[in-house]
Amino acid sequence: SPYYHNQDYHNTYTVDHEKVVDDLVNFPVLVSFVDGDLVGKAQVDGDDIVFTDYYGFKLNHEIELFNATSGELVCWVNVTSLSSSVDTVLYMYYGNSGCSSMENVAGVWDSSYRLVQHLNESSGLHFDSTVYGNDGTCFGGVNQSAVGMVDGADRFARPEECVRGSSFSLGDEYSVGMWFKADTLSSPVANWQC
């Protein structure tokens, strides 16, 4: 089994291949769990947490939330090779009280990701995790303290509420992904930007 230098503890996590539609390369995977083993063993800010593949190669990750009291961790791990036919095992190491942050936020989201905002800031700017720095400002009274599926969420109660950021060119073809919960869906959303 692999070992990451200067980390005292490790756990393994398995990505079920039946939940992976196709073989993927450099794919950001949401890792979210509560692990009591992290309590008192990982740094209070989670800086010593590091993920590797089976061979011990460090995987880029971004921590959205780490609660050192409960052991709750929500993060994105860029898995270099994710199989649709064989389970993928990730190793998480922690327990080095003297290391600096092991995160590489920009390394999780490659250059094809133009904007990634997790909406976990409860006030002020929403920060972009990509290398492009497309941070967003809330307008119209957005509630930045809403409860969401992962770590953060905003509540947009009126059409004029939005998050505006830098303008950038998307090109002719692009995909947009987001998680949202509508109070009601009485008609299709025709214009979701402000």
Side-chain angles (χ1 to χ4, degrees):
S1 101
Y3 173 77
Y4 202 80
H5 184 63
N6 289 333
Q7 304 296 69
D8 291 334
Y9 306 99
H10 80 277
N11 295 346
T12 59
Y13 301 96
T14 302
V15 179
D16 183 352
H17 73 277
E18 292 182 6
K19 298 190 183 233
V20 180
V21 209
D22 199 359
D23 292 342
L24 302 168
V25 176
N26 294 324
F27 188 79
V29 172
L30 176 64
V31 175
S32 178
F33 55 81
V34 176
D35 187 340
D37 288 343
L38 290 169
V39 178
K41 296 175 184 167
Q43 291 183 24
V44 295
D45 55 5
D47 276 355
D48 59 327
I49 294 172
V50 64
F51 290 87
T52 72
D53 64 10
Y54 175 80
Y55 301 102
F57 293 108
K58 184 176 179 275
L59 302 174
N60 295 321
H61 75 282
E62 174 185 15
I63 295 176
E64 271 195 64
L65 169 74
F66 176 61
N67 183 322
T69 304
S70 67
E72 181 181 8
L73 178 66
V74 178
C75 63
W76 294 90
V77 179
N78 186 299
V79 180
T80 51
S81 179
L82 197 58
S83 173
S84 60
S85 57
V86 178
D87 289 351
T88 301
V89 178
L90 304 178
Y91 295 84
M92 181 184 74
Y93 293 88
Y94 55 97
N96 182 343
S97 61
C99 73
S100 57
S101 178
M102 302 299 285
E103 278 185 282
N104 180 359
V105 175
V108 175
W109 313 101
D110 68 30
S111 62
S112 64
Y113 289 89
R114 301 304 299 241
L115 171 69
V116 175
Q117 292 179 352
H118 302 294
L119 307 184
N120 57 343
E121 299 84 4
S122 57
S123 65
L125 286 176
H126 281 310
F127 295 104
D128 178 19
S129 293
T130 72
V131 296
Y132 299 106
N134 291 311
D135 300 335
T137 303
C138 292
F139 288 91
V142 174
N143 174 358
Q144 289 183 258
S145 298
V147 176
M149 285 291 297
V150 182
D151 172 37
D154 284 0
R155 178 166 175 76
F156 302 92
R158 298 183 310 269
E160 62 273 9
E161 294 180 10
C162 64
V163 177
R164 291 185 192 150
S166 307
S167 60
F168 55 91
S169 173
L170 292 175
D172 293 336
E173 295 182 7
Y174 55 90
S175 297
V176 175
M178 67 181 81
W179 292 352
F180 72 93
K181 178 184 177 218
D183 292 332
T184 60
L185 288 175
S186 55
S187 62
V189 177
N191 185 2
W192 51 272
Q193 65 182 0
C194 66

